[in-house]
Amino acid sequence: MFVNLRCIKKIQIARLLTTGLVLSIVMLCWEDLDHHVVSHVRSYSYRFLVNNHNFLNSSYNLDTNGHRRSFGNSLDPSPLHPYLINQLKKCSNSNDILLLVFVKSSPQNDDRRHEIRKTWGNEDYIQEKFNANVKIVFVLGVHPDLRQRRSQKNVESEAWAYNDIIQQNFMDTFHNLTTKLIMQFHWATKYCPKAKFVMSCDDDIFVHMPNMVGYLRSLEQKHVSNFWVGHVHRGAPPIRRIESKYHVPMKLYPWVSYPDYTSGAGYVVSGDVAAKIYQVMQILNPSMYIDDVFMGMCAQVIGVTPQDYVYFSGEAVTRYHPCIYARMITSHGHADDVRVLWKEATDPQVERMSKGFLSNLYCTAVKVALLCLPHQRGTYGCLGAFT
Ligand SMILES: *[C@@H]1O[C@H](CO)[C@@H](O)[C@H](O)[C@H]1NC(C)=O
Ligand SMILES: *[C@@H]1O[C@H](CO)[C@@H](O)[C@H](O)[C@H]1NC(C)=O
């Protein structure tokens, strides 16, 4: 009996191993089977089993092909494109800046900018109500369509009225997002180096600024450095289908897996990271046009790994409920309802609801129902119910 059992076990192990082997071969060779699934499994295996991105090698350095940008004086590096609009005084007249927020916007999105200024991006309100020094900067290129260039006049008068727009002379297109990213880190390093935290986000995001300020203050007390937080994508594979918006050819990125990175919808780094990232940006080849992936590649070089915080939503929209509002940090996809959400999410009622044992119990139950049930996908993870 005993011998038999051992025999069976051996056979089972052998079977398991063979199955595993066959499966891996199928995964590696049969890419057309189901490109999406296979590339994810491959990438995951690579990311977690094979190695930790040792493959992102020096072939990505600019100096190997002689295109290295000026790197001499690190405090005054020359930007790739000249600034058309700049805000030289934005940070210079204040010392204690908790957070510098870059909102990636486009010339024609003035409606979104107005909504943000009236809601979560209202610097004066945040200063007055929470005694926090937060700076909002909208980051723009120029309209790609020449016939629309008269909108440039509107951008200029808007910038003049609000002092919160910066613009460089490159076409504001999807494939120039990495240029825009480099611009943000250049600006942070050169014009706002004392900011304790730096955020980059889309212009259709909602930031629960009171919660954000509380969260950053708790990090500040811990004196965090080398810090990068957001909604983390781990082991994501490059998309090779030509039809895809995110198509990345082998020539541009030959490896099966991207380094870990946070969703570009909204993430935060500590000030020291911003400075170091900008240094790296000048040596890495910026042709990876997906800006959040490029950020991951830069961070990889300086050894900074992104951390997940469950209430950064990534690409997803929040669940509308006071129990969620009490903890949420960001939510994506709010071009039209920023104002409604701001009003609801910062209602004094919300804070009251999250205090006390019974309310906590109630909110945990609600959050389990909203975040953990299988059909409730695509928002904060289930972990959010318990944090
Ligand atoms: C970097 O990786 C690529 C693809 O794996 C490889 O072809 C190349 O030789 C490597 N370059 C260096 C300098 O190691
Ligand atoms: C990016 O901006 C530059 C400078 O304006 C422009 O020449 C280039 O065509 C743009 N690239 C894309 C892919 O839009």
Side-chain angles (χ1 to χ4, degrees):
M1 182 65 195
F2 185 60
V3 175
N4 242 347
L5 208 75
R6 273 175 57 176
C7 247
I8 291 175
K9 268 194 180 158
K10 259 188 199 159
I11 290 172
Q12 277 180 339
I13 289 171
R15 247 191 223 157
L16 215 70
L17 284 178
T18 336
T19 319
L21 196 72
V22 170
L23 271 179
S24 336
I25 291 172
V26 167
M27 280 165 201
L28 286 173
C29 306
W30 210 347
E31 191 153 335
D32 291 331
L33 178 73
D34 179 349
H35 179 91
H36 194 65
V37 174
V38 173
S39 62
H40 269 85
V41 174
R42 261 176 66 183
S43 163
Y44 260 76
S45 337
Y46 222 86
R47 165 67 178 75
F48 293 106
L49 303 177
V50 182
N51 67 13
N52 251 333
H53 298 290
N54 299 328
F55 52 86
L56 225 185
N57 62 21
S58 59
S59 62
Y60 241 96
N61 290 5
L62 276 182
D63 44 0
T64 56
N65 30 12
H67 293 136
R68 190 170 164 155
R69 257 172 280 152
S70 80
F71 193 46
N73 181 356
S74 62
L75 284 177
D76 191 22
S78 50
L80 209 50
H81 300 275
Y83 283 93
L84 297 176
I85 300 174
N86 204 344
Q87 305 297 339
L88 300 176
K89 299 223 175 86
K90 185 87 188 174
C91 290
S92 64
N93 48 11
S94 44
N95 270 322
D96 191 33
I97 297 167
L98 180 66
L99 176 66
L100 166 65
V101 184
F102 288 115
V103 184
K104 296 176 272 183
S105 193
S106 300
Q108 67 278 17
N109 287 357
D110 51 328
D111 287 348
R112 293 185 184 180
R113 292 191 289 275
H114 282 305
E115 292 297 286
I116 291 174
R117 287 184 192 112
K118 287 209 179 93
T119 57
W120 63 263
N122 185 338
E123 292 174 359
D124 294 337
Y125 174 83
I126 302 163
Q127 177 75 60
E128 211 171 282
K129 192 98 193 283
F130 308 101
N131 193 25
N133 195 348
V134 173
K135 300 288 179 195
I136 311 283
V137 175
F138 295 98
V139 190
L140 277 64
V142 294
H143 203 292
D145 185 351
L146 270 173
R147 284 161 300 176
Q148 296 286 330
R149 287 287 161 85
R150 83 190 141 77
S151 71
Q152 181 61 21
K153 284 264 171 297
N154 302 346
V155 170
E156 278 160 18
S157 49
E158 188 187 335
W160 194 78
Y162 297 101
N163 294 315
D164 59 3
I165 291 180
I166 60 175
Q167 184 184 41
Q168 271 185 358
N169 192 8
F170 61 84
M171 279 188 209
D172 200 308
T173 58
F174 176 71
H175 283 88
N176 266 339
L177 273 175
T178 292
T179 307
K180 199 177 266 188
L181 183 75
I182 296 173
M183 171 182 173
Q184 293 163 58
F185 280 86
H186 172 258
W187 201 87
T189 311
K190 180 150 189 199
Y191 301 108
C192 205
K194 284 195 196 137
K196 288 183 185 124
F197 295 95
V198 177
M199 178 176 194
S200 174
C201 62
D202 290 343
D203 63 359
D204 58 344
I205 200 157
F206 177 84
V207 182
H208 195 298
M209 206 40 100
N211 289 353
M212 176 69 101
V213 166
Y215 175 64
L216 294 181
R217 288 224 164 106
S218 71
L219 293 172
E220 204 186 356
Q221 276 171 5
K222 289 186 233 158
H223 301 289
V224 294
S225 61
N226 272 342
F227 183 79
W228 179 19
V229 69
H231 180 88
V232 181
H233 293 285
R234 283 180 217 285
I239 294 173
R240 307 292 190 201
R241 275 176 294 123
I242 304 230
E243 319 85 75
S244 169
K245 184 183 175 192
Y246 296 99
H247 165 71
V248 167
M250 289 296 258
K251 227 176 89 189
L252 189 57
Y253 190 93
W255 301 287
V256 295
S257 171
Y258 288 139
D260 296 354
Y261 64 93
T262 54
S263 158
Y267 56 85
V268 174
V269 296
S270 53
D272 59 314
V273 170
K276 282 186 263 181
I277 289 279
Y278 184 62
Q279 300 269 321
V280 175
M281 280 177 169
Q282 293 168 95
I283 349 176
L284 278 202
N285 183 341
S287 53
M288 165 52 72
Y289 64 87
I290 306 174
D291 59 334
D292 23 2
V293 172
F294 186 66
M295 173 75 186
M297 291 164 59
C298 293
Q300 167 88 10
V301 174
I302 56 170
V304 170
T305 43
Q307 296 180 32
D308 244 322
Y309 181 66
V310 67
Y311 282 107
F312 279 80
S313 80
E315 285 80 16
V317 181
T318 186
R319 299 269 160 219
Y320 293 80
H321 195 282
C323 289
I324 301 278
Y325 301 151
R327 303 302 306 277
M328 71 181 290
I329 303 274
T330 69
S331 174
H332 189 234
H334 297 280
D336 306 319
D337 65 347
V338 175
R339 223 184 283 208
V340 179
L341 188 54
W342 174 248
K343 193 158 178 292
E344 281 188 15
T346 56
D347 195 294
Q349 183 81 24
V350 169
E351 204 176 323
R352 255 175 272 137
M353 271 193 80
S354 61
K355 295 228 165 84
F357 177 73
L358 276 183
S359 319
N360 263 328
L361 207 62
Y362 164 73
C363 269
T364 304
V366 169
K367 285 193 279 185
V368 166
L370 289 177
L371 304 178
C372 299
L373 298 185
H375 63 282
Q376 305 277 21
R377 300 296 298 270
T379 174
Y380 309 118
C382 180
L383 204 61
F386 309 99
T387 33

